[in-house]
Amino acid sequence: WEDAHEVREGYQPNYFHVIHSHNDSLYNNHGAKILQLEPEEDNRDGFSIRVATEELETRREKNKFLLVFSDGEPAAAGYGQNGIVDTHLAVSEARKKGINVIGMYLADGEISEKEEFTMQNIYGKERVMVPSVQELNDHFVPLLKKLLLQTL
C-alpha cells in the first residue's frame, strides 16, 4: 500500500506487507495471521505484482501462478490512468518470465462495464470477475482446479 498521508513530490512511500511466505505456508496454526490485515491507503498494483514476481522467480517449481485480488482500479498519488498501464506492464513482465497471472476482481454487487473493461485491459482473458465476496468459492474453486490440472 501507499501511505497517502505521507506522499510528497518526489516521495511516495510504498509498503509490501508479507502475511505468509512460501517458507511458512505449511506451518500449523499460521492461518490466523491473515486476520491481522487492516484496510490501508492507496495501492500501486504494478509495484505489488513486481515484488511477487521477484519472489516467484526464485522458486524452483516448474509451474508458477499469481492470483491478484482486486477491488477496482489501481489508485495512488499520481497513478490514475498510468496505474492501469503500469499494472498491465507488470502483468506482461511476469508472464514473459513464465508466471501465469490471473486477475480476480471482487465486486460489491453488480459488475459495471467500466470495471470489466479495466480488468480486461490489465489482465486480458486471464481474469475472473466475482460479483460479491459471497460468490468467491463459486469462481475460485473452478479456477484452482483448472490451474492444478495444468500442472499434471
Side-chain angles (χ1 to χ4, degrees):
W1 78 91
E2 179 173 279
D3 189 342
H5 300 294
E6 297 295 321
V7 170
R8 295 184 301 282
E9 189 168 334
Y11 179 67
Q12 296 169 314
N14 284 272
Y15 305 96
F16 193 83
H17 187 153
V18 176
I19 302 300
H20 285 291
S21 71
H22 290 99
N23 297 330
D24 73 1
S25 62
L26 298 177
Y27 292 174
N28 287 331
N29 302 320
H30 276 231
K33 286 172 63 176
I34 200 164
L35 296 175
Q36 71 178 301
L37 287 174
E38 295 285 336
E40 297 293 348
E41 299 295 327
D42 296 338
N43 60 294
R44 292 180 183 269
D45 292 5
F47 171 76
S48 296
I49 291 168
R50 287 181 181 95
V51 169
T53 297
E54 286 179 20
E55 174 70 25
L56 286 169
E57 281 184 291
T58 67
R59 304 291 304 169
R60 296 182 312 159
E61 289 80 7
K62 178 182 172 188
N63 299 294
K64 302 173 187 182
F65 60 90
L66 174 62
L67 301 177
V68 181
F69 291 87
S70 176
D71 64 352
E73 287 185 29
Y79 211 41
Q81 279 299 110
N82 294 332
I84 294 170
V85 173
D86 181 56
T87 305
H88 173 79
L89 288 173
V91 168
S92 295
E93 292 162 6
R95 288 177 177 162
K96 286 177 186 173
K97 294 175 180 179
I99 299 168
N100 187 1
V101 182
I102 299 106
M104 295 197 68
Y105 178 74
L106 302 175
D108 188 19
E110 196 171 317
I111 298 169
S112 73
E113 190 174 313
K114 180 180 187 269
E115 293 160 336
E116 179 75 44
F117 186 69
T118 298
M119 289 296 287
Q120 181 179 351
N121 281 336
I122 295 172
Y123 298 98
K125 293 179 182 178
E126 296 295 320
R127 69 185 184 285
V128 176
M129 304 300 283
V130 183
S132 70
V133 176
Q134 290 79 12
E135 298 178 53
L136 183 58
N137 274 355
D138 298 338
H139 296 269
F140 187 69
V141 171
L143 172 64
L144 190 55
K145 182 178 179 181
K146 174 185 160 191
L147 291 171
L148 291 173
L149 287 174
Q150 288 176 356
T151 67
L152 299 177

